[in-house]
Amino acid sequence: MSPVEWLCNCCLKSFESMGGRLCREEVREEKKRSPPRDSLTSAEKIKRFIVKQFGYNVLSLTRRGLKEVPDELWELLELEKLNLSLNNLKTVPPQLSLLSNLVVLNLWGNQLSSLPAEIGQLSRLRVLFIYRNNLTEVPEELGACTQLEVLSVANNQLSTLPASLSNLSRLKKLNLSHNLIAHVPGCIYNMKTLVFLDLSCNHLENLAENIQSLVNLKILIVEGNNLHSLPKAVCFLTRLELLNLDFNDIKDVPQEMHQLLQLQKLACHPLDKGLHIIHNPLLKPVKEVLEGGLSALFNYLKAG
């Protein structure tokens, strides 16, 4: 099973992990795979802790208290999955490019303020977790990682993304939640293969009509922003199964919303599929109609 297939088999579960909510089972599993603290003295010793998992060469150095990446690591050219999460790393050196076989790179939960431009040389990279760091920008060179399918940069200090990320034509899941984004980065509208987009807890005041180009979206999360209205274009995303609009400033909805037939109920729990909208200052009659459920709202909008 590929890393992306595993993620896609549990789409909503991965919604939690992409944003940094680490489950107990995951922590226990990482502790099993991580070498003891006194073992990182040579490439050969580190190599002993590489395990085969689903056919991939995997090394986990999570929760090691690392302030720097061990130099010996760059000798392990056979690595395909590398986990350096939950350390105290402030930088990743350019030697990262030596690990050209990497398919999955996990750097979440460190103190990174930047990524090396050489990350763009990881031509096989398919999954990149860099959430919960101190990033203020993403290097343009990341756009050269055209095999990327999953990218989480949640919980950083990003205000935009480079235009070069338009080249990520295979990207299926993008988590940009908990950043400083006031406008949806233009490159996102070119990511036509996206099925999951999380823009929650940013500073968005509107969504551009271009959002309708993301025709494969099944999950769109924009809760916790400053949205005052919803563009009609969202209503053309007819594959949506989860649309979270909660905790915005939305007072009304477009009449065309009844076209979103895959939204089968009003949802409350963050991981429930359906339409999340009740935590908004909705005006009458929409607010009253919603008391009858989503079907009542859709019937009302059709009749209008």
Side-chain angles (χ1 to χ4, degrees):
M1 180 184 293
S2 75
V4 174
E5 286 171 337
W6 176 79
L7 283 165
C8 289
N9 284 342
C10 50
C11 190
L12 292 179
K13 192 172 181 180
S14 72
F15 158 52
E16 288 198 9
S17 65
M18 284 178 70
R21 301 176 194 171
L22 193 67
C23 65
R24 294 176 183 175
E25 292 79 5
E26 188 177 347
V27 171
R28 282 198 294 266
E29 189 63 27
E30 292 297 348
K31 285 182 178 179
K32 290 179 186 177
R33 291 200 292 261
S34 295
R37 287 182 176 269
D38 60 354
S39 64
L40 303 181
T41 55
S42 73
E44 282 304 312
K45 287 189 177 181
I46 297 178
K47 198 169 186 176
R48 290 198 307 237
F49 295 98
I50 296 177
V51 298
K52 275 282 186 183
Q53 190 177 55
F54 299 114
Y56 292 91
N57 293 312
V58 181
L59 176 63
S60 176
L61 298 178
T62 188
R63 295 179 181 270
R64 298 274 314 159
L66 296 175
K67 294 183 179 179
E68 297 179 347
V69 180
D71 289 337
E72 294 81 4
L73 186 62
W74 312 124
E75 300 177 36
L76 307 179
L77 306 185
E78 70 273 29
L79 278 183
E80 294 168 291
K81 293 185 180 183
L82 175 60
N83 189 347
L84 291 168
S85 65
L86 294 166
N87 282 291
N88 300 309
L89 301 175
K90 293 186 177 179
T91 61
V92 176
Q95 291 93 318
L96 176 65
S97 64
L98 296 173
L99 303 182
S100 59
N101 287 308
L102 279 184
V103 176
V104 176
L105 178 58
N106 193 339
L107 294 168
W108 83 267
N110 281 283
Q111 300 172 29
L112 301 174
S113 57
S114 64
L115 294 172
E118 289 76 8
I119 196 170
Q121 297 178 38
L122 301 179
S123 59
R124 297 186 61 199
L125 195 64
R126 295 171 66 186
V127 178
L128 177 59
F129 289 147
I130 44 177
Y131 55 86
R132 293 198 178 187
N133 278 285
N134 300 316
L135 299 177
T136 56
E137 62 180 7
V138 172
E140 288 187 15
E141 291 78 4
L142 186 62
C145 297
T146 55
Q147 299 299 308
L148 262 183
E149 298 185 30
V150 179
L151 174 61
S152 178
V153 288
N155 293 88
N156 279 286
Q157 299 171 40
L158 301 173
S159 58
T160 190
L161 292 176
S164 63
L165 267 58
S166 294
N167 296 326
L168 302 183
S169 59
R170 299 191 178 195
L171 199 66
K172 296 179 179 177
K173 297 186 180 183
L174 176 60
N175 191 340
L176 274 170
S177 64
H178 297 272
N179 276 288
L180 306 173
I181 296 171
H183 304 282
V184 178
C187 61
I188 290 180
Y189 300 124
N190 291 316
M191 299 174 179
K192 305 292 174 58
T193 55
L194 279 180
V195 296
F196 174 103
L197 177 59
D198 189 348
L199 290 163
S200 62
C201 301
N202 277 286
H203 303 312
L204 298 175
E205 293 191 2
N206 59 69
L207 296 175
E209 294 290 330
N210 299 16
I211 194 80
Q212 66 185 309
S213 65
L214 303 180
V215 294
N216 290 301
L217 267 187
K218 293 185 177 180
I219 296 176
L220 176 59
I221 305 169
V222 290
E223 69 171 328
N225 281 282
N226 302 312
L227 298 176
H228 304 297
S229 63
L230 196 64
K232 293 179 181 179
V234 170
C235 304
F236 299 121
L237 303 177
T238 55
R239 296 188 182 184
L240 280 177
E241 298 175 3
L242 188 160
L243 175 59
N244 193 334
L245 304 169
D246 273 339
F247 304 108
N248 279 284
D249 189 38
I250 295 173
K251 299 178 175 63
D252 200 359
V253 296
Q255 183 177 348
E256 294 81 1
M257 182 174 272
H258 67 82
Q259 298 172 188
L260 299 178
L261 299 178
Q262 299 302 313
L263 300 177
Q264 298 182 358
K265 64 177 181 178
L266 284 179
C268 296
H269 189 279
L271 297 185
D272 282 348
K273 291 184 178 181
L275 175 63
H276 300 248
I277 196 172
I278 59 175
H279 296 292
N280 278 284
L282 296 166
L283 300 176
K284 297 179 181 179
V286 171
K287 183 177 181 180
E288 294 176 340
V289 171
L290 275 172
E291 293 177 2
L294 188 58
S295 59
L297 174 65
F298 283 2
N299 289 333
Y300 168 76
L301 293 174
K302 284 181 188 177

